[in-house]
Amino acid sequence: MQRALVACMGPGAAEQLALAQVRLAWAEVVTEARLQRGPLSSRVMRVTGSTAHVEASDSMLAQELNLRREALAWTLNERMKGRPGATIVVRELAVSVGRGGTERSL
């Protein structure tokens, strides 16, 4: 699959697909855990090594994500199992509080 992506979309396509799978799984996991509702939100900004860097909209949400980070990382990996292009395994979460939505990374 990675070879087909490289041929069609360029050398960064496989990494972008893997990151997109992490972001999708994160959205599903936090919604299911009821950590994504109303004004509270979080998103995976990037993954370096095996650490997912998560930006939370609020300091209280960031604290909650930090308290649950082991369980969230495990659930995130379970959610991605078997998905096409999901090659990233997350072992750690690094949670920070966002700067009011001034930066958007896709």
Side-chain angles (χ1 to χ4, degrees):
M1 183 168 168
Q2 285 184 346
R3 282 188 224 138
L5 282 170
V6 169
C8 293
M9 299 176 68
E15 292 82 16
Q16 289 301 312
L17 176 60
L19 183 56
Q21 288 289 14
V22 172
R23 288 177 172 158
L24 174 61
W26 178 260
E28 294 169 350
V29 167
V30 294
T31 298
E32 187 175 282
R34 296 181 175 248
L35 295 169
Q36 189 97 344
R37 55 192 162 135
L40 301 179
S41 64
S42 63
R43 59 194 169 119
V44 174
M45 301 300 290
R46 67 186 182 286
V47 178
T48 55
S50 60
T51 302
H53 298 266
V54 176
E55 183 179 276
S57 63
D58 175 275
S59 61
M60 288 180 62
L61 176 59
Q63 283 183 320
E64 186 66 29
L65 295 174
N66 273 316
L67 288 171
R68 297 185 188 192
R69 74 175 164 213
E70 287 179 18
L72 289 168
W74 183 86
T75 306
L76 181 66
N77 290 321
E78 287 296 306
R79 182 69 62 138
M80 288 189 292
K81 277 186 182 173
R83 289 187 178 179
T87 57
I88 296 173
V89 175
V90 174
R91 300 205 191 293
E92 278 293 321
L93 298 178
V95 181
S96 62
V97 178
R99 291 178 236 138
T102 56
E103 291 183 12
R104 280 281 188 218
S105 174
L106 297 175

